[in-house]
Amino acid sequence: MLTTYTLEQIASQVRRDIIRMVTGAASGHPGGSLSSTDIMTCLFFKEMNIVPEKWQRSGVNSDMFFLSAGHISPVLYSILARRGYFPVSELGSFRLFGSRLQGHPSVRKGLPGVNQAAGSLGQGLSVAIGAALGKKLNGDTNRIFVLLGDGESEEGQVWEAAASAVHHKVDNLIAMTDWNGQQIDGTTEEVQSLGDLTAKWQAFGWEVIVAEGHSFTSIEEAFAIANNLLGKGKPVMILFKTEMGHGVDFMAGTCKWHGKNPSQEQCEQALSQLQETIGDY
Amino acid sequence: MIQYINTGNKDTRSGFGAGLAELGRTNPKVVALCADLTGSLKMDSFAKEHPERFFQSGIAEANMIGVAAGLAISGYIPFAGTFANFATARVYDQIRQSVCYSNTNVKIAASHAGITLGEDGATHQTMEDIGLMRMLPGMTVINPCDYNQTKAATIAAAAYTGPVYLRFGRPSVPNFTPDNQQFEIGKALHLNSGTQVSIIATGHLVWEAIQATEMLENMGISVDLLNIHTIKPLDEAAILASVSKTGRLVCAEEHLIAGGLGEAIAGLLVRNNPVPMRFVAVNDLFGQSGKPAQLMQAYGLDADHIVRAVKELL
């Protein structure tokens, strides 16, 4: 994408947006938003074939993105606004009454860039598979991307979907997991161990790539590998190793900031660690 | 009264299968998914004729609903089929978020609804499904009465844009509606004009209500009879017009009282024209194994029970 900003600069601004949105709304989910910021930045500003001004829910003739872990809506909204789907000024309405920026993504308010509601976990991969099958029927060679949380992968439907994608040879789909190892009640190991996540996806028949989710070099490389694996009869999963709350020292590596907003003082402290690059909304 | 002729017993699920097969030939946007019950749902013709548009979904209903939603987003008209219990209770949250809240154009095809599923017993006999589906904002709920009407309803569901719950059953029942009928979603069918009591029936109970009407008219009781094939949106005008003539009403359905058509009508009447009413439905019970007719009788869902309910009101 033509931009005067580097991915690092965009990601820094997105992280500021996330902090300011959840502070402004006095609610929301900063932890997972911050851990998936770099993946989302690379995806929307470099990887995907999209024309935000021409966005349609049906995704005809463009790549499509589905967010399955709907609670990390702050990162989605910031990315969509910064990428030009809707005015950046609208980010200030996050979670407010009447806003298009619902606590969890909704299609009911007409927010461009949102194809499907998410929030109740475990459903997004199934929907993405359906959209991918639809693309094949339509003869559309664009791709489907879907982002899951690692805690979300405790949901049984994720594994129904995992088997289904392989059975139907959904090879125009790149699924991604924000593997930050944290969920509301603690680490994923404490709450309900994911075990060997790589081996699990492989056992279901997926092509699995493990990458560092806070290195743009690693993220881009993972997408390049994934693209080469498409069209060969198998779905692709990229397991991005990330850190919950990445970019803000007191939020990093803990479950405590999964769904908690900072105080005004904590907000200032967080923002002091994140450079304002494009300009705050 | 007008005579309704049974042209031969047929199952309503076969009406769905015939409607889906016709849609397959006429509308390239129609796709179908089934959770390992293709034969039971009579989806085999569609699957055989359009293998590229049929998605065997295995015993994984939650995923099936989500995949259907994704296909709908891509511009297709998916019919996702399984037994009514697994098409509703098992996947309620998936229908709520991925279909209704997301307003995806998914048609839930629910077979083996009600107690007439028979021998399998209560695990498979849902009598809660109408209530569950009625509660979802934006869901259209259709419960046709015979083979011909189920076929017509299937074709109408595809032509309508938005989530639809289409409920039908397993047993062979009288087929008496016209084979070339136009199916208008949300429009009640007036089967008999009368002045003393309104009988409103849906699904398999419509034929029983016709039998009851004949019995009552032979006793000199004048019955206004409506077939409500669309439970949501409800044809409020037709129901209110009927009770304004009769002043009393019996509602008959193969469902629990809780959440069913009868409660929907009771709410309508309380808001507009409260009249005495009786429910021919199941009161807070699970089903059990048995022959369909045996179960209908045992659970109070046949013509005799409709007659009894009318007599209570007169």
Side-chain angles (χ1 to χ4, degrees):
Chain A
M1 167 183 181
L2 292 174
T3 173
T4 49
Y5 300 99
T6 63
L7 293 175
E8 286 81 0
Q9 288 172 317
I10 296 166
S12 183
Q13 187 65 54
V14 167
R15 286 193 164 92
R16 285 183 69 88
D17 290 347
I18 292 165
I19 295 298
R20 295 181 69 239
M21 286 164 76
V22 297
T23 305
S27 66
H29 298 78
S33 293
L34 293 170
S35 65
S36 57
T37 294
D38 299 318
I39 305 164
M40 290 287 282
T41 300
C42 191
L43 187 63
F44 274 82
F45 286 84
K46 191 139 195 184
E47 180 60 27
M48 281 206 296
N49 166 36
I50 44 174
V51 183
E53 313 80 64
K54 292 186 182 169
W55 176 83
Q56 317 173 57
R57 190 181 176 195
S58 63
V60 174
N61 297 324
S62 87
D63 286 342
M64 293 176 84
F65 172 76
F66 291 92
L67 176 63
S68 188
H71 57 280
I72 62 166
S73 56
V75 68
L76 176 68
Y77 295 151
S78 169
I79 289 279
L80 290 175
R82 296 290 172 184
R83 187 66 176 80
Y85 283 84
F86 57 85
V88 171
S89 59
E90 208 168 332
L91 293 176
S93 74
F94 175 59
R95 284 182 170 242
L96 300 184
F97 181 72
S99 174
R100 299 200 290 180
L101 279 58
Q102 292 288 295
H104 295 78
S106 169
V107 300
R108 296 226 161 205
K109 302 279 183 185
L111 188 67
V114 177
N115 303 311
Q116 178 73 353
S120 177
L121 294 173
Q123 301 189 25
L125 182 56
S126 302
V127 178
I129 290 166
L133 292 169
K135 278 227 179 299
K136 282 178 172 253
L137 284 175
N138 284 330
D140 179 343
T141 54
N142 285 285
R143 302 163 296 172
I144 304 288
F145 293 87
V146 56
L147 179 63
L148 290 82
D150 53 353
E152 177 181 22
S153 305
E154 290 160 10
E155 290 280 7
Q157 188 181 344
V158 171
W159 301 101
E160 289 187 10
S164 158
V166 171
H167 181 78
H168 290 290
K169 300 184 169 55
V170 181
D171 57 5
N172 54 345
L173 172 80
I174 297 176
M176 302 164 285
T177 299
D178 176 21
W179 196 0
N180 61 34
Q182 302 285 339
Q183 56 192 111
I184 298 178
D185 277 357
T187 66
T188 52
E189 285 310 295
E190 289 164 348
V191 178
Q192 183 171 286
S193 174
L194 295 167
D196 189 340
L197 201 53
T198 312
K200 280 183 177 173
W201 285 100
Q202 283 169 340
F204 273 78
W206 287 58
E207 296 284 2
V208 183
I209 300 158
V210 180
E212 294 298 325
H214 298 304
S215 151
F216 287 113
T217 310
S218 169
I219 297 168
E220 287 181 45
E221 194 178 278
F223 284 136
I225 296 168
N227 287 327
N228 280 329
L229 291 168
L230 293 180
K232 295 175 182 166
K234 285 182 171 189
V236 179
M237 168 58 80
I238 308 174
L239 298 171
F240 282 114
K241 286 191 170 170
T242 58
E243 179 185 52
M244 188 82 145
H246 188 79
V248 176
D249 58 5
F250 62 89
M251 290 184 172
T254 167
C255 67
K256 294 195 178 98
W257 292 91
H258 166 89
K260 187 183 150 190
N261 60 290
S263 65
Q264 200 59 46
E265 193 184 348
Q266 287 167 324
C267 173
E268 296 303 327
Q269 194 186 339
L271 293 179
S272 72
Q273 300 169 32
L274 300 165
Q275 196 194 352
E276 184 178 352
T277 52
I278 307 171
D280 288 340
Y281 62 82
Chain B
M1 76 176 279
I2 304 163
Q3 292 300 301
Y4 292 91
I5 310 296
N6 175 11
T7 58
N9 282 17
K10 281 184 168 182
D11 48 356
T12 52
R13 57 182 165 149
S14 287
F16 164 69
L20 186 67
E22 186 172 317
L23 285 168
R25 294 171 206 130
T26 55
N27 188 339
K29 287 294 181 190
V30 170
V31 297
L33 306 92
C34 189
D36 194 30
L37 290 166
T38 311
S40 298
L41 269 282
K42 306 295 178 186
M43 296 169 90
D44 15 21
S45 293
F46 183 97
K48 198 174 162 194
E49 290 174 27
H50 313 284
E52 75 293 350
R53 283 192 273 148
F54 177 74
F55 302 98
Q56 172 57 263
S57 300
I59 310 166
E61 295 84 1
N63 180 60
M64 176 174 72
I65 298 297
V67 172
L71 281 158
I73 291 169
S74 292
Y76 288 88
I77 306 168
F79 282 78
T82 181
F83 288 171
N85 186 46
F86 315 136
T88 55
R90 189 176 184 91
V91 293
Y92 198 63
D93 189 41
Q94 284 74 20
I95 296 177
R96 182 177 184 274
Q97 174 172 290
S98 290
V99 177
C100 287
Y101 183 52
S102 294
N103 197 22
T104 49
N105 191 21
V106 173
K107 318 302 171 186
I108 312 286
S111 186
H112 294 54
I115 202 161
T116 53
L117 175 145
E119 292 81 349
D120 280 344
T123 54
H124 288 50
Q125 293 161 334
T126 177
M127 293 188 284
E128 310 95 72
D129 58 321
I130 290 173
L132 290 170
M133 293 297 105
R134 261 184 68 212
M135 279 198 290
L136 291 171
M139 180 64 99
T140 291
V141 180
I142 300 175
N143 184 32
C145 66
D146 69 357
Y147 173 96
N148 284 342
Q149 193 165 81
T150 307
K151 184 181 175 191
T154 304
I155 290 162
Y160 167 83
T161 303
V164 172
Y165 179 65
L166 181 62
R167 180 195 214 233
F168 42 91
R170 174 178 183 242
S172 284
V173 293
N175 187 30
F176 60 96
T177 64
D179 64 1
N180 58 349
Q181 65 190 284
Q182 290 297 308
F183 188 96
E184 193 178 339
I185 292 172
K187 188 78 179 164
L189 296 172
H190 199 200
L191 300 186
N192 194 54
S193 283
T195 55
Q196 286 177 278
V197 63
S198 299
I199 298 178
I200 298 188
T202 187
H204 289 148
L205 268 290
V206 174
W207 181 255
E208 296 297 325
I210 289 170
Q211 305 310 300
T213 300
E214 285 178 2
M215 290 153 71
L216 288 161
E217 299 229 314
N218 287 338
M219 297 173 208
I221 299 164
S222 173
V223 176
D224 204 57
L225 176 61
L226 288 180
N227 170 7
I228 295 282
H229 54 58
T230 307
I231 292 164
K232 185 182 172 190
L234 194 59
D235 189 343
E236 300 188 343
I239 295 165
L240 291 172
S242 180
V243 297
S244 72
K245 287 193 296 182
T246 61
R248 51 184 74 79
L249 183 148
V250 170
C251 180
E253 59 189 316
E254 190 181 348
H255 192 269
L256 293 185
I257 291 174
L261 170 63
E263 282 200 345
I265 290 172
L268 171 72
L269 297 182
V270 164
R271 289 189 295 273
N272 294 276
N273 180 12
V275 300
M277 180 174 172
R278 290 292 180 273
F279 297 80
V280 173
V282 176
N283 189 17
D284 206 27
L285 291 173
F286 286 107
Q288 60 179 299
S289 293
K291 299 282 179 207
Q294 196 176 25
L295 291 164
M296 293 285 270
Q297 198 271 334
Y299 282 79
L301 300 175
D302 56 9
D304 288 337
H305 284 86
I306 297 172
V307 169
R308 210 177 296 174
V310 167
K311 286 182 171 171
E312 278 179 33
L313 286 175
L314 290 167

